[in-house]
Amino acid sequence: MLYLLDASVLIGADKNDYPIGDAPEFWDWLVYMGELELVKLPPQIYEEVAAGDDDLAEWIRRNAHALLLEEPVSRDVVNRVLERGYAVDLSRQELDRIGNDHYLIAYALADPENRRVVTNEVSKPRRRRANRHIPDVCAGLGVSCVNTVELIRELDFRAERRNP
């Protein structure tokens, strides 16, 4: 299974749960999982995080070799995510509100049996159009979605220490 990370996973981990300066084990584990081809960031998500000027942006740029998913995404799949996941007639403002979420989901939808989205967004099924959250769009498209805690459990955080 390939886990595709949303920016919220990295940003939330750094700001709230595992600050880069205080919990290097978590960040080393992510790199290790990337090297094993188990965790990746689609290019659009990578660029979003790498564009910053903080420790997280520096870390992601330094570890692009392990974490960047280097493959194209089908424009047809991206459009399917937008049309079926959000709405067929999105305005420019709505597209801006969605950000890069549709790319993240499209990379997972390209191989839904072997890919899973990781996000810290929570389901809000009553939301519509550009206000929809990643878990709800994923569910509607048949894409598996987990949060950071589930990722840690499924890939066994202790694995890095057992198999360096």
Side-chain angles (χ1 to χ4, degrees):
M1 182 66 65
L2 175 61
Y3 293 82
L4 300 172
L5 303 182
D6 180 26
S8 70
V9 170
L10 300 174
I11 294 166
D14 185 37
K15 291 194 183 320
N16 302 317
D17 303 315
Y18 313 105
I20 287 177
D22 298 334
E25 299 85 1
F26 174 77
W27 302 95
D28 291 346
W29 177 78
L30 280 178
V31 171
Y32 178 67
M33 291 294 120
E35 290 169 345
L36 293 177
E37 304 287 325
L38 295 172
V39 170
K40 295 290 180 183
L41 280 86
Q44 296 80 1
I45 304 301
Y46 169 85
E47 291 298 330
E48 184 179 330
V49 177
D53 62 355
D54 56 3
D55 290 341
L56 177 58
E58 181 182 323
W59 177 85
I60 198 71
R61 290 189 298 263
R62 204 172 50 246
N63 293 291
H65 67 281
L67 294 167
L68 179 60
L69 180 64
E70 297 191 49
E71 68 180 49
V73 65
S74 162
R75 174 55 54 191
D76 290 340
V77 176
V78 171
N79 288 336
R80 187 172 356 142
V81 171
L82 287 171
E83 292 171 3
R84 294 184 187 167
Y86 295 95
V88 295
D89 59 345
L90 294 166
S91 69
R92 182 77 240 156
Q93 292 81 11
E94 288 176 306
L95 287 170
D96 289 343
R97 197 171 324 134
I98 292 168
N100 292 314
D101 293 354
H102 60 298
Y103 286 106
L104 172 68
I105 298 165
Y107 275 96
L109 187 58
D111 188 4
E113 297 296 318
N114 297 301
R115 293 184 177 188
R116 186 170 285 161
V117 168
V118 184
T119 184
N120 285 335
E121 287 187 11
V122 296
S123 175
K124 299 208 178 208
R126 293 180 183 248
R127 298 241 173 137
R128 297 288 171 248
R129 301 183 61 87
N131 294 319
R132 296 195 72 206
H133 282 205
I134 291 172
D136 302 313
V137 176
C138 285
L141 294 169
V143 171
S144 178
C145 188
V146 297
N147 63 32
T148 302
V149 172
E150 292 166 315
L151 169 73
I152 289 169
R153 286 182 183 140
E154 290 180 18
L155 290 183
D156 190 2
F157 180 77
R158 299 166 298 164
E160 195 274 333
R161 288 183 214 20
R162 285 196 311 262
N163 302 311

